[in-house]
Amino acid sequence: MKDLKKPQNALPALTKYIRVTGDRDGKFVEFDFAINDPTLYVELVLPQQAFQEFCQVNQVTEMTAEQQACNDANEEKWRYGSETTLVGQQRNTFDHEDQH
C-alpha cells in the first residue's frame, strides 16, 4: 500500500537564504537571495512591501555572520584574484582614494 502522506516525486525542502545589503531611500530593499547554497546568490531589489511578502512566501532564513563573511571573502577574491590580506585591503583603500 502506498504512503499517502508523501508523494513519490516530492522534492526535498531547500533552505532559502537572504542577506539584506542595502536600503534605497526607505522605499526599496537590496538583498542577496540564495537557494540551498548561500554562496550562490543573486542580487535583488524589491519595494519594502514586496520584500516582506517575498520573505514570507519563500520562508527565508537570514544568512549567518559566517556565511556572510564567506561571501564577502569570495567577492574580494573574485575582484582582486587572491585571498583577502592586509595588502588587498590597502589596495581597496587606494583604489577609492584614486577616484578623488
Side-chain angles (χ1 to χ4, degrees), residues 13 20 23 31 39 47 53-54 74 84 95:
V20 175
D23 180 293
F31 64 103
T39 64
E53 292 170 9
F54 178 89
N74 286 337
T84 303
D95 288 346

Side-chain angles (χ1 to χ4, degrees), residues 46-58:
L46 287 174
Q48 290 280 348
Q49 183 62 35
F51 172 73
Q52 296 301 324
E53 292 170 9
F54 178 89
C55 290
Q56 189 174 30
V57 167
N58 288 288

Side-chain angles (χ1 to χ4, degrees), residues 2-12:
K2 290 184 181 180
D3 184 3
L4 298 176
K5 294 179 184 176
K6 189 174 183 181
Q8 289 180 335
N9 60 351
L11 296 174

Side-chain angles (χ1 to χ4, degrees), residues 13-28:
L14 300 174
T15 304
K16 298 171 185 169
Y17 298 95
I18 61 157
R19 174 186 185 184
V20 175
T21 57
D23 180 293
R24 292 189 181 181
D25 301 322
K27 295 179 183 179
F28 296 94

Side-chain angles (χ1 to χ4, degrees), residues 44-88:
L44 300 172
V45 178
L46 287 174
Q48 290 280 348
Q49 183 62 35
F51 172 73
Q52 296 301 324
E53 292 170 9
F54 178 89
C55 290
Q56 189 174 30
V57 167
N58 288 288
Q59 300 176 356
V60 300
T61 299
E62 287 192 50
M63 289 183 198
T64 65
E66 293 80 16
Q67 290 166 331
Q68 292 179 33
C70 179
N71 286 349
D72 290 342
N74 286 337
E75 186 173 326
E76 286 287 316
K77 185 177 178 181
W78 179 82
R79 283 189 179 162
Y80 299 111
S82 62
E83 296 293 331
T84 303
T85 63
L86 289 176
V87 173

